[in-house]
Amino acid sequence: MLKKSKKLKESSSIELAGDKVISFKEREKRSIELKNRIAESYPMVGGASDDNLWRSLNQLSNRDLYTLTQKRMQDIAFFLYDSNPMAKRILEIMRDFVVGDGFKYSVVDPGVKEVIDNFWNDPDNNLDEELDTNVLELGIFGELCLPTWVNKADGSVKLGYIDPVTILRVFKDKSNPKIHRKLRWKKPKSPKEIDLDIINIDKRITSKTEGKLIGECFFFAINKVSGASRGRSDLLSLADWLDGHDQFLFARLERAFLINTFIWDITCEDMNEKELKEFVKGLTLPKSGSIRAHNQKIKWEAIVPKLESDDASNEARLFKNQILGGAGYPEHWFSEGGKTTRATALEMGLPTLKKLKSRQRKFIGFLKRILNYVIDQAIIAGTLKEGVNREFKIIPTPIVSRDNKGVSEAMSGLVSGLVLAKEQGWITDKKAKVVLNAVLSQLGVEMEADEEEKKEEKQNEE
């Protein structure tokens, strides 16, 4: 028995490689040598460095903030909006330009128009007023969550609201990170966590709602990359600068108060402490125009603080421009018009207008998704027919430059040039109209196609 166990022990420490017997120690030694040679030839495989921890380029990373950091960002952003004048104005300028005089819509089918009208003007939805708040909160919190309630009888939709601070997590689609699938949130002072399906197109082939928008809530986010599931506030990168600028101005304000203060210094010769206390008890502050008399042993003197400091206007402007540059606004939009010429102001405003148009275009996309959902619910409930013409168009308030003189001169030259090109036979009427419409669209004016153009487009599609 002992001989047999000894034989098993010896056999467990060897390995057959063809006809040659190799021990485990020899095999381990060869493995280490091979690993070292590979590490020298291909550093990315491993070795002493951390190169082996690198990830593949096509592997998506989590670009979200930590949950507590996300909540803190939203709390700070709201605090700045509520207490910092510059932060409040930065957000309100964005809202005022994006919403402007409001949004309008045009609908082809009368039945679809009635459904959208009922949704838009519903007292609980009241979009004419709520859109202002929605755009503002998008800027503050970086995201907007609107739960929906659908009347199963007629498919009418009502919108609710979930505070972004109560959102715990947003889940993405496993196969497509651009699609948000679920949202988890918790009511304040409640331990229960609630999951909601984010509204998306139903792609289940066997489903009755295939190809339609279904779900329990809308979730819109801005200032995010594709790898992130949560939005970021417009004030995230500006928060520290806004707070620092605020503290700087308050420090200058305190200095101004100190400069305007003074005290009376009274010199009393040959008086002890008891005599000084008795003397002070009978004193009153001299009023303007009053008479004050004293002997040569008492001397009155008004003393003001001598705070030696330079003019801080240049520093204040430096900090201010740091904030405005990050926000994308020119300084003459924030009480610095006297330091900018008219020509410079027009040129400086162009990048800002592009930024504002970009946010307006994004919000129009959000609004289109909501209206498409409303139409889909009406079709599901039978209020609208399956093949109804659901075409509609959102008409925003144009964001245009106020240089009316330059615009009119440019349009006059463009029209004259198009007429001349038409007379020379270089372009046709149709091409000239396309060019003119393209220029007008840059000014925020959308031209409706006439009946002949619509008919021609329909024929081309067929």
Side-chain angles (χ1 to χ4, degrees):
M1 186 70 179
L2 291 174
K3 291 182 179 180
K4 187 176 180 181
S5 62
K6 184 178 180 182
K7 187 176 181 181
L8 288 174
K9 187 176 180 181
E10 290 176 353
S11 64
S12 64
S13 63
I14 62 174
E15 180 182 341
L16 292 176
D19 296 333
K20 187 177 180 181
V21 179
I22 305 174
S23 66
F24 281 127
K25 289 185 178 180
E26 182 67 22
R27 183 171 176 267
E28 184 179 3
K29 182 179 178 181
R30 292 186 181 185
S31 177
I32 293 173
E33 291 177 355
L34 181 61
K35 182 179 178 182
N36 291 336
R37 288 200 301 269
I38 293 175
E40 291 175 1
S41 302
Y42 304 97
M44 293 299 291
V45 174
S49 67
D50 60 349
D51 292 338
N52 60 317
L53 302 178
W54 285 47
R55 62 176 176 81
S56 173
L57 286 175
N58 58 3
Q59 178 183 342
L60 290 176
S61 297
N62 183 13
R63 302 297 183 186
D64 286 321
L65 302 173
Y66 291 111
T67 303
L68 293 177
T69 308
Q70 180 82 15
K71 184 178 183 301
R72 179 168 173 77
M73 174 201 69
Q74 293 169 339
D75 289 339
I76 291 174
F78 182 77
F79 172 78
L80 289 174
Y81 164 74
D82 213 26
S83 61
N84 189 292
M86 185 173 291
K88 183 181 180 69
R89 188 60 188 144
I90 287 173
L91 294 168
E92 288 183 343
I93 285 179
M94 178 65 75
R95 178 203 61 189
D96 294 342
F97 273 89
V98 170
V99 179
D101 297 327
F103 292 91
K104 298 180 181 179
Y105 52 88
S106 61
V107 188
V108 176
D109 187 273
V112 176
K113 185 178 187 304
E114 183 180 358
V115 169
I116 295 179
D117 286 343
N118 292 336
F119 165 75
W120 194 283
N121 300 318
D122 187 298
D124 294 328
N125 297 330
N126 194 15
L127 292 190
D128 285 330
E129 294 183 8
E130 288 298 320
L131 291 181
D132 279 48
T133 306
N134 292 339
V135 174
L136 180 63
E137 292 196 1
L138 263 177
I140 297 175
F141 301 114
E143 51 195 27
L144 180 67
C145 183
L146 305 174
T148 60
W149 288 271
V150 181
N151 188 331
K152 300 299 182 182
D154 59 359
S156 59
V157 179
K158 290 183 181 291
L159 296 177
Y161 175 78
I162 292 178
D163 193 332
V165 178
T166 63
I167 298 175
L168 302 177
R169 188 177 175 187
V170 176
F171 299 89
K172 286 177 167 289
D173 190 285
K174 293 182 180 179
S175 58
N176 188 352
K178 292 184 178 180
I179 300 176
H180 299 88
R181 286 297 181 192
K182 284 185 178 294
L183 179 145
R184 180 172 295 166
W185 71 291
K186 185 171 68 173
K187 294 181 179 180
K189 299 180 181 180
S190 172
K192 186 179 179 181
E193 296 180 357
I194 304 172
D195 284 354
L196 297 177
D197 290 329
I198 297 175
I199 293 172
N200 284 291
I201 296 177
D202 187 2
K203 296 183 179 180
R204 297 172 297 176
I205 301 176
T206 58
S207 175
K208 295 181 180 180
T209 58
E210 181 195 1
K212 296 181 176 59
L213 290 168
I214 60 170
E216 299 173 286
C217 71
F218 289 101
F219 179 75
F220 304 125
I222 58 172
N223 300 327
K224 62 180 285 296
V225 294
S226 298
S229 62
R230 304 291 301 271
R232 285 167 165 79
S233 170
D234 285 338
L235 302 180
L236 175 60
S237 60
L238 306 175
D240 291 335
W241 291 101
L242 286 166
D243 183 60
H245 181 261
D246 220 26
Q247 293 184 34
F248 175 80
L249 294 181
F250 270 109
R252 300 300 298 186
L253 182 64
E254 291 177 355
R255 176 183 176 275
F257 283 139
L258 291 175
I259 290 177
N260 291 328
T261 59
F262 69 95
I263 61 172
W264 287 103
D265 181 77
I266 306 175
T267 303
C268 302
E269 294 184 7
D270 299 332
M271 283 192 183
N272 56 32
E273 183 178 353
K274 183 177 180 181
E275 292 173 337
L276 285 173
K277 289 181 178 179
E278 291 295 328
F279 176 75
V280 171
K281 287 181 180 179
L283 287 178
T284 57
L285 292 177
K287 297 181 179 180
S288 178
S290 61
I291 298 174
R292 175 170 54 85
H294 60 86
N295 59 23
Q296 71 275 12
K297 291 189 176 183
I298 297 177
K299 182 181 178 182
W300 287 62
E301 182 180 5
I303 297 179
V304 297
K306 295 181 180 180
L307 303 177
E308 302 295 338
S309 59
D310 298 330
D311 182 15
S313 59
N314 289 332
E315 292 181 3
R317 187 185 180 193
L318 177 65
F319 300 149
K320 186 177 181 180
N321 284 340
Q322 171 74 1
I323 296 170
L324 297 180
Y329 296 110
E331 64 175 340
H332 64 270
W333 284 28
F334 286 76
S335 66
E336 292 286 353
K339 297 181 180 180
T340 307
T341 63
R342 177 177 175 81
T344 304
L346 291 173
E347 293 298 325
M348 291 174 65
L350 182 60
T352 305
L353 294 179
K354 292 292 185 182
K355 173 187 174 73
L356 297 171
K357 288 181 180 180
S358 175
R359 179 63 59 83
Q360 187 184 70
R361 185 169 61 252
K362 194 172 188 67
F363 190 77
I364 290 174
F366 296 159
L367 200 53
K368 284 182 178 179
R369 192 171 185 84
I370 293 175
L371 295 185
N372 275 314
Y373 176 79
V374 171
I375 296 173
D376 282 342
Q377 299 310 306
I379 294 175
I380 294 171
T383 303
L384 295 174
K385 295 181 179 179
E386 185 68 36
V388 68
N389 187 350
R390 56 188 298 157
E391 182 182 350
F392 66 90
K393 188 175 184 181
I394 303 293
I395 306 171
T397 302
I399 300 177
V400 297
S401 172
R402 291 301 180 187
D403 184 17
N404 297 327
K405 181 180 178 181
V407 172
S408 60
E409 291 177 354
M411 288 300 300
S412 177
L414 175 64
V415 172
S416 300
L418 292 176
V419 171
L420 180 60
K422 169 65 174 54
E423 292 175 352
Q424 295 294 329
W426 297 338
I427 61 174
T428 61
D429 284 338
K430 185 177 179 180
K431 292 292 184 183
K433 189 173 183 180
V434 170
V435 173
L436 182 62
N437 288 346
V439 175
L440 290 175
S441 66
Q442 295 297 317
L443 300 175
V445 180
E446 296 292 340
M447 299 297 293
E448 293 288 343
D450 54 28
E451 293 299 327
E452 293 183 1
E453 290 179 348
K454 290 181 179 179
K455 186 177 180 181
E456 185 177 352
E457 290 178 0
K458 187 176 181 180
Q459 290 176 352
N460 293 333
E461 290 177 358
E462 293 176 352

